[in-house]
Amino acid sequence: MSETPNETLTGAQITVRLLERQGVRLVTGYPGGAILPIYDALGQSTAIRHVLARHEQGAGFIAQGMARVSGEVAVCMASSGPGATNLLTAIADAKLDSIPLVAITGQVPKAMIGTDAFQEVDTYGLSIPITKHNFLVSSTEELLEVIPRAFAIAASGRPGPVLIDIPKDVQSRAIEVAAWPEPGHRSAPAAADGMALAEAAGLIAAAKKPLLYLGGGVIHAGAADLAVKLAEKANLPTVMTLMALGAMPVDHPLSLGMLGMHGAPYTNLALDECDLLIAVGARFDDRATGKVAAFCPQARIIHIDIDAAELDKIKTAHVGIVADVGEALTRLLPLVPENPRKSWVDRVDALKTAHPQPLPGLDDPRSHFGLIRAVAACLDDDAIVATDVGQHQMWAAQAYPLRRPRQWLTSGGLGTMGFGVPAAIGAALAAPERTVVCFTGDGSILMNIQELVTAAEQGANVKIVLMNNAVLGLVHQQQTLFYGQRLFASEFQAMPDFVTTARALGIAAVDLDQAANPCAALADAFARPGPCLIHAGIDAEQKVYPMVPPGAANRDMIGAQA
Amino acid sequence: MNASNRNENQALARAVLEIDVANHPGVMSHVVGLFSRRAYNVEGILCLPVGDGRQSRIWLLVGEDQRLPQMIRQLEKLEDVGAVRRHHAEHAVFTQLEAFFRP
Ligand SMILES: Cc1ncc(C[n+]2csc(CCOP(=O)(O)OP(=O)(O)O)c2C)c(N)n1
Ligand SMILES: [Mg+2]
């Protein structure tokens, strides 16, 4: 506690002061009756800027965009009842992707809790299973303990969302504050077990066909460089999950890109052959492993993760190490001998040549892959790439040349349509010097299209590439492949004019379908600062290939032929 | 639960978990929710404050299922949980309560 002369402050003023003391400079949210005392105090703050979203889910994803780009805890706010329930999807999404958020919700006054008061919902109860931790604050004094603790919890260990529900009377009541608590920060986790590290190094040295398997934890830990160093030193071909893309540059000779359901054929085939799998900050998600019994069937497993509950959850590890992956890799590196591993590296290269990722139309900017590459050609590695959820997301994962950690923002675990636009806005707010591109679909963009107004208002430098196939593409694909081509509820009968809509919502828009030279039109759109919607028609019959049918083994991909 | 289900369950091995937690109104929901959302039946629950009342101890009687080690790790991950200890089903804490549960 730091001593200051006593001040008499309301709970709302204390909340804002504690956020300021945390170093928070930007929050996003949406007001309502039960959180008005906090909004009133926030309005008086000169340190914190508030970005008004146009829907609480938008606020949640704007905060996620900020957190994913910066690695710092981001803050979003909503009122009680519908405000809080609207926030829930973004919180659940943050939980599954381990994104550090502090969500502050207003609640009806304590005396009215449990009376079915106006705009009362059990926000605490609703948020238990989708937060890392949550609080219902029962006194103004408690704020001094709860708020720093919420930040510490969100940032420590495996990051995640923390919700603080604050009844209105707790916000309004004034108390005397004699001393301020220290801001909450990430606490250092216990060090990795040295014996286990030595054992892991021994397994790596002895392996003939090892593979490095990187997950989102490598990004969160800021350990991508270390992972690449380990791969290079021991010549470990490296696969990445959807969440880890960018950890190793795609064009690195040891990179095998993304594994799993929509991974390249050579990637899944190499996994089938490996004799040692080194999982770092990864959790053996079903989209990555396919049928678990058939995943890396001959491999021993080293599993390094900060979350002890991930070890042995899906696959039993021969060596399990609970640690910050950065710390573990730093200490593992000197223990692992250099090894050219020529025959395995050659074998993996042969698989790459024989079973490449099909990328048809790469040179045609009017095709899906060609468009993604044409967008990439307008940008450098400083750009941030956000996506929505659907075929466009998987195509971007397969074809965009990602080369940098925190370059790639996508909803991996929850797969939430509507993530893209607000997350891109949050990214642009957190990193105003960068260009943010968002690949979205005609279904996804409608789920949070109101945030285009926020983008316009903020002048956020987001370029939204709408890949419009006039269908819910990924649903259409599954119905075509696995439901006897019975297309139902996956084709839109009516479609807004997206270019006009974007302009009406206040942002520039360009239709590549009408452009004589789509590459020139793209370059033009990227050259102008500020938000822009770039509309491009995409053939609805295109599929995301290869595809491992749900429940099948990864080796049984369909559509793997180039 | 129907009769055949109950018989099946009784044939299964059980375990007793002793969980030290922070004492506040939400802690039971956090602990029990971990089980209910995985459709993992909790057969018995006992909870009382200990010491000065800032801490409580929760005793759970649960089925001895292959998911139990994972459940213990999930419990240990909860912010409000201090420690989890696993005991055999014959632990006195529940057997001594049988008198209160005669049909
Ligand atoms: C909120 C939400 N609802 C439903 C789904 C299921 N879903 C996954 S992809 C998809 C279609 C997405 O369509 P679109 O945004 O047009 O992208 P496309 O696949 O056509 O590229 C749907 C409905 C989801 N992921 N999220
Ligand atoms: Mg679509």
Side-chain angles (χ1 to χ4, degrees):
Chain A
M1 292 264 173
S2 58
E3 297 287 331
T4 46
N6 284 12
E7 286 177 279
T8 303
L9 296 170
T10 65
Q13 290 170 322
I14 291 169
T15 300
V16 171
R17 189 75 70 83
L18 289 168
L19 294 178
E20 290 173 354
R21 292 175 55 88
Q22 281 296 142
V24 172
R25 293 297 171 260
L26 183 63
V27 302
T28 171
Y30 208 96
I35 199 167
L36 278 183
I38 288 179
Y39 267 79
D40 192 31
L42 195 56
Q44 308 301 310
S45 171
T46 49
I48 301 179
R49 168 175 158 217
H50 175 267
V51 169
L52 177 65
R54 295 305 191 266
H55 186 297
E56 290 84 354
Q57 188 184 111
F61 283 131
I62 288 172
Q64 272 217 40
M66 289 157 44
R68 286 178 190 244
V69 160
S70 67
E72 303 291 329
V73 180
V75 178
C76 55
M77 297 183 176
S79 194
S80 66
T85 54
N86 274 347
L87 206 54
L88 293 179
T89 301
I91 294 174
D93 188 281
K95 174 82 184 316
L96 280 179
D97 284 349
S98 306
I99 304 303
L101 288 190
V102 167
I104 297 176
T105 50
Q107 182 54 281
V108 301
K110 269 191 316 181
M112 292 171 78
I113 290 181
T115 66
D116 303 321
F118 179 64
Q119 295 194 328
E120 180 191 358
V121 292
D122 177 9
T123 305
Y124 182 85
L126 285 169
S127 59
I128 287 175
I130 57 166
T131 50
K132 184 172 175 191
H133 194 56
N134 61 355
F135 298 94
L136 172 56
V137 183
S138 59
S139 73
T140 306
E141 289 77 3
E142 241 180 75
L143 289 167
L144 291 160
E145 185 206 319
V146 163
I147 291 175
R149 214 175 133 216
F151 278 83
I153 292 169
S156 298
R158 179 178 182 169
V162 178
L163 182 134
I164 311 174
D165 198 29
I166 313 180
K168 194 172 184 180
D169 56 320
V170 172
Q171 299 172 43
S172 301
R173 201 176 129 242
I175 60 168
E176 236 180 62
V177 180
W180 291 98
E182 285 304 309
H185 289 300
R186 184 172 177 275
S187 61
D193 171 8
M195 299 264 283
L197 285 173
E199 214 182 319
L203 283 181
I204 295 170
K208 296 270 176 298
K209 304 186 221 169
L211 279 183
L212 188 57
Y213 157 39
L214 304 180
V218 172
I219 309 278
H220 299 318
D225 287 354
L226 286 163
V228 172
K229 275 198 194 117
L230 177 69
E232 288 171 347
K233 186 172 183 193
N235 273 297
L236 306 171
T238 300
V239 304
M240 287 168 274
T241 66
L242 180 68
M243 294 305 296
L245 293 179
M248 176 183 269
V250 271
D251 30 21
H252 191 289
L254 288 167
S255 170
L256 292 174
M258 181 171 73
L259 81 161
M261 182 175 269
H262 297 299
Y266 58 82
T267 313
N268 287 333
L269 292 173
L271 283 157
D272 230 31
E273 291 185 16
C274 76
D275 65 356
L276 176 69
L277 186 70
I278 308 145
V280 185
R283 60 181 177 88
F284 295 84
D285 174 75
D286 52 277
R287 295 288 138 135
T289 63
K291 186 177 169 193
V292 176
F295 181 65
C296 303
Q298 306 148 51
R300 289 171 163 256
I301 292 172
I302 298 170
H303 193 176
I304 310 177
D305 202 282
I306 198 158
D307 181 354
E310 288 303 340
L311 301 189
D312 306 337
K313 184 181 83 174
I314 305 290
K315 274 274 206 189
T316 307
H318 297 85
V319 179
I321 299 173
V322 179
D324 172 78
V325 298
E327 188 258 349
L329 290 177
T330 305
R331 287 173 54 209
L332 184 60
L333 255 174
L335 305 180
V336 172
E338 282 182 32
N339 188 337
R341 233 184 281 279
K342 177 117 180 44
S343 64
W344 175 230
V345 171
D346 285 349
R347 169 67 187 152
V348 169
D349 287 343
L351 284 172
K352 275 190 187 178
T353 315
H355 306 278
Q357 165 68 39
L359 290 169
L362 212 50
D363 298 324
D364 173 11
R366 297 193 195 276
S367 80
H368 53 297
F369 284 130
L371 174 61
I372 291 165
R373 282 292 169 89
V375 167
C378 296
L379 296 164
D380 60 21
D381 293 345
D382 287 339
I384 293 166
V385 184
T387 77
D388 250 305
V389 171
Q391 289 184 314
H392 60 277
Q393 173 192 31
M394 291 300 131
W395 289 326
Q398 291 172 332
Y400 196 97
L402 296 163
R403 299 200 179 92
R404 177 174 71 76
R406 301 200 181 280
Q407 184 181 15
W408 170 247
L409 318 183
T410 201
S411 169
L414 199 65
T416 313
M417 292 171 67
F419 169 92
V421 169
I425 295 169
L429 293 171
E433 71 288 358
R434 296 182 192 267
T435 299
V436 184
V437 57
C438 170
F439 291 100
T440 184
D442 47 303
S444 293
I445 195 173
L446 285 177
M447 290 221 176
N448 272 320
I449 196 161
Q450 75 288 345
E451 299 310 326
L452 293 185
V453 185
T454 314
E457 179 184 280
Q458 298 295 323
N461 194 18
V462 292
K463 312 297 178 197
I464 297 155
V465 179
L466 170 53
M467 300 176 71
N468 183 358
N469 51 9
V471 290
L472 297 171
L474 221 42
V475 173
H476 185 274
Q477 168 165 347
Q478 291 220 29
Q479 289 177 337
T480 306
L481 297 176
F482 309 122
Y483 293 88
Q485 297 185 302
R486 289 179 299 280
L487 301 177
F488 179 66
S490 57
E491 296 167 298
F492 288 116
Q493 303 302 314
M495 168 80 65
D497 175 340
F498 284 106
V499 170
T500 311
T501 305
R503 289 185 186 139
L505 295 177
I507 77 170
V510 42
D511 191 353
L512 291 192
D513 298 349
Q514 308 299 321
N517 180 345
C519 287
L522 267 180
D524 197 46
F526 279 95
R528 271 178 281 126
C532 181
L533 181 102
I534 298 161
H535 176 270
I538 296 292
D539 172 11
E541 292 308 319
Q542 294 302 323
K543 307 277 184 289
V544 182
Y545 282 143
M547 178 174 194
V548 178
N554 278 354
R555 76 174 77 88
D556 298 325
M557 310 162 252
I558 51 181
Q561 278 70 43
Chain B
M1 199 192 289
N2 65 35
S4 69
N5 242 336
R6 190 173 301 139
N7 291 342
E8 253 172 46
N9 272 347
Q10 278 176 351
L12 289 174
R14 301 255 181 79
V16 168
L17 301 180
E18 179 188 3
I19 311 165
D20 296 337
V21 297
N23 181 11
H24 69 83
V27 69
M28 286 285 277
S29 294
H30 275 265
V31 167
V32 173
L34 279 185
F35 289 84
S36 60
R37 81 181 81 113
R38 291 172 173 82
Y40 194 132
N41 200 27
V42 175
E43 307 265 326
I45 309 177
L46 202 59
C47 178
L48 283 173
V50 289
D52 62 4
R54 285 151 52 99
Q55 303 288 309
S56 295
R57 187 162 300 146
I58 299 177
W59 292 87
L60 297 181
L61 179 65
V62 297
E64 167 86 86
D65 155 323
Q66 59 179 15
R67 294 173 294 173
L68 190 55
Q70 172 65 16
M71 293 309 304
I72 293 173
R73 287 181 176 186
Q74 291 291 341
L75 284 168
E76 286 168 342
K77 228 164 98 164
L78 293 178
E79 280 300 319
D80 287 326
V81 169
V84 184
R85 289 173 292 276
R86 180 177 170 171
H87 305 279
H88 289 295
E90 305 79 54
H91 192 280
V93 69
F94 284 107
T95 55
Q96 286 180 2
L97 288 174
E98 273 166 14
F100 297 98
F101 289 89
R102 301 237 163 85

